[in-house]
């Protein structure tokens, strides 16, 4: 048992990235379904402010952002690896292309009339209006603007064409085995493909579709559904911490009271005491459910850490 609890919702592309990694590694995990839109009181009881989806919990350790979540999963279950040491920088660059550019280019596609018609059928007009308002608020205060149709039109065709060409003679983006680059480029396409109104947009890219089928075939591992209250209970009764990555020198000393917030969008801060700064991870401690101390871990890239006065 890995102890992994994923807080996610079914239709979330970034959650699908993590579910596919769990599937490729054939891991057992527990699933807590969270709301797609605010408020998310049970999730925030763990994170202390961070609201994005997904979040991973192991006991009383909480991991924000799939950049860190996937690396923590790799640390727990190294084989088969999704972080090959050869091509490390190339896979990081492609991971960013998928998570940042391709995902943001996919979002407006789901607001096109053909996609909206499918969503209205599924979720209802009233919920969709609330979803739109929630996502408009999500992009307030960050340095990334809410993407629009013009951004999609400019970015999607050349990026899909490049990925499709790269996949002409190989099974996965960097060779014959999948790595993090594949999972990061996969989830925005999964998002488009899941909506029958816009899925045909991908028909021009046969290599991409075949590759997406290969990733889908990994499945999601062994998932067990639990309630949010059970996850909070697990945190409240846990007395161990997960190992921390080695600390590196940083501008702020451990023990400093800090706020950590994403810089792109969804910038709601989490406040706590700085525990450690690693190469790729910042950890803070705060009081969680029932006053239990909780550690929340964030990636460094894409997050701002600032000292706060009491
Ligand atoms: N950089 C984040 C991005 C996560 C993200 O944007 N998730 C979307 C859902 S797929 C989100 O948080 N939407 C708002 C929400 O769920 O509250 C990551 O890699 O985890």
């Amino acid at each position: 048992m890995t102890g992994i609890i994923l807080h996610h919702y079914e239709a979330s592309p970034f959650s699908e990235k993590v579910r596919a990694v769990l599937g490729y590694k054939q891991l057992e995990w527990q699933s807590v379904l969270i709301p797609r839109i605010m408020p998310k009181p049970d999730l925030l009881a763990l994170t202390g402010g961070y609201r994005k989806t997904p979040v991973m919990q192991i006991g009383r350790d909480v991991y924000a952002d799939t950049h860190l979540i996937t690396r923590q999963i790799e640390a727990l279950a190294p084989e088969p690896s999704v972080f090959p040491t050869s091509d490390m920088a190339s896979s990081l660059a492609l991971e960013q292309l998928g998570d940042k550019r391709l995902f943001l280019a996919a979002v407006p596609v789901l607001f096109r009339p053909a996609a909206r018609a499918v969503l209205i059928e599924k979720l209802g007009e009233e919920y969709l209006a609330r979803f739109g308002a929630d996502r408009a608020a999500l992009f307030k205060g960050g340095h990334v603007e809410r993407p629009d149709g013009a951004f999609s039109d400019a970015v999607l065709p050349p990026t899909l064409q490049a990925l499709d060409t790269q996949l002409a003679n190989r099974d996965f983006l960097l060779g014959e085995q999948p790595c993090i680059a594949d999972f990061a480029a996969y989830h925005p396409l999964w998002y488009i493909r899941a909506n029958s109104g816009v899925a045909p947009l991908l028909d021009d890219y046969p290599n991409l579709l075949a590759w997406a089928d290969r990733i889908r075939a990994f499945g999601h591992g062994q998932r067990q559904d639990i309630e949010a209250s059970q996850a909070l209970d697990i945190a409240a009764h846990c007395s161990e911490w997960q190992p921390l990555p080695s600390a590196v020198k940083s501008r702020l000393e451990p023990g400093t009271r800090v706020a950590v917030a994403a810089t792109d969008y969804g910038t709601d801060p989490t406040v706590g005491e700085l525990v450690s700064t690693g190469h790729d991870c910042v950890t803070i401690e705060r009081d969680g459910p029932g006053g239990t101390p909780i550690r929340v871990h964030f990636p460094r890239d894409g997050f701002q850490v600032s000292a706060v006065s009491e």
Side-chain angles (χ1 to χ4, degrees):
M1 197 60 191
T2 55
I4 292 173
I5 304 173
L6 192 68
H7 297 255
H8 65 133
Y9 58 85
E10 308 289 6
S12 151
F14 278 97
S15 303
E16 185 62 13
K17 172 185 170 192
V18 176
R19 292 184 297 243
V21 169
L22 292 166
Y24 179 56
K25 289 177 177 278
Q26 295 192 355
L27 297 177
E28 289 179 5
W29 55 284
Q30 291 179 308
S31 153
V32 174
L33 289 177
I34 62 170
R36 288 182 196 226
I37 58 176
M38 295 294 267
K40 308 183 184 187
D42 294 323
L43 182 73
L44 267 57
L46 288 171
T47 66
Y50 180 82
R51 65 155 286 185
K52 289 196 215 173
T53 311
V55 163
M56 184 172 80
Q57 172 192 352
I58 300 175
R60 54 180 175 152
D61 284 84
V62 170
Y63 299 87
D65 198 290
T66 62
H67 179 88
L68 183 59
I69 292 172
T70 50
R71 284 160 176 78
Q72 187 61 25
I73 293 174
E74 175 90 358
L76 287 170
E79 296 298 334
S81 174
V82 294
F83 291 98
T85 44
S86 58
D87 295 325
M88 198 78 175
S90 316
S91 70
L92 179 66
L94 279 174
E95 180 186 6
Q96 294 188 351
L97 176 74
D99 283 349
K100 300 191 195 296
R101 223 164 148 75
L102 197 55
F103 171 71
L104 289 173
V107 168
V109 171
L110 275 295
F111 284 88
R112 288 185 187 177
R116 272 186 67 86
V118 173
L119 291 175
I120 288 173
E121 185 89 352
K122 241 187 231 169
L123 302 170
E125 193 115 33
E126 190 268 339
Y127 185 85
L128 209 57
R130 285 202 283 134
F131 179 77
D134 180 89
R135 292 310 191 252
L138 180 73
F139 280 90
K140 292 242 160 71
H143 70 60
V144 167
E145 272 181 37
R146 192 175 187 196
D148 59 10
F151 179 75
S152 282
D153 289 348
V155 170
L156 266 186
T159 310
L160 296 180
Q161 179 70 49
L163 293 172
D164 191 72
T165 305
Q166 181 141 338
L167 286 163
N169 299 311
R170 49 179 112 174
D171 278 354
F172 296 100
L173 285 172
L174 291 176
E176 295 314 309
Q177 305 301 326
C179 71
I180 196 62
D182 295 281
F183 295 99
Y186 171 66
H187 68 88
L189 302 190
W190 171 87
Y191 194 30
I192 294 175
R193 227 179 162 190
N195 185 304
S196 57
V198 285
L201 281 178
L202 300 175
D203 287 350
D204 291 343
Y205 308 100
N207 301 323
L208 265 184
L209 290 177
W211 160 85
D213 284 343
R214 285 193 279 280
I215 298 179
R216 182 165 57 186
F218 296 144
H220 289 162
Q222 284 83 52
R223 161 177 166 172
Q224 182 204 3
D225 293 313
I226 62 169
E227 297 297 324
S229 57
Q230 290 173 271
L232 295 182
D233 239 39
I234 290 171
H237 292 102
C238 178
S239 53
E240 289 166 16
W241 296 120
Q242 290 299 303
L244 286 169
S246 350
V248 296
K249 267 208 170 324
S250 100
R251 193 169 46 85
L252 295 164
E253 288 296 319
T256 311
R257 196 164 169 74
V258 293
V260 184
T263 52
D264 52 0
Y265 56 93
T267 57
D268 318 62
T270 298
V271 173
E273 192 168 289
L274 185 64
V275 174
S276 141
T277 306
H279 271 116
D280 207 12
C281 172
V282 171
T283 301
I284 66 174
E285 200 167 307
R286 55 174 295 275
D287 286 343
T292 331
I294 299 266
R295 283 185 180 168
V296 193
H297 310 263
F298 300 91
R300 288 186 74 168
D301 192 9
F303 284 79
Q304 180 173 320
V305 185
S306 30
V308 291
S309 43
E310 294 298 321

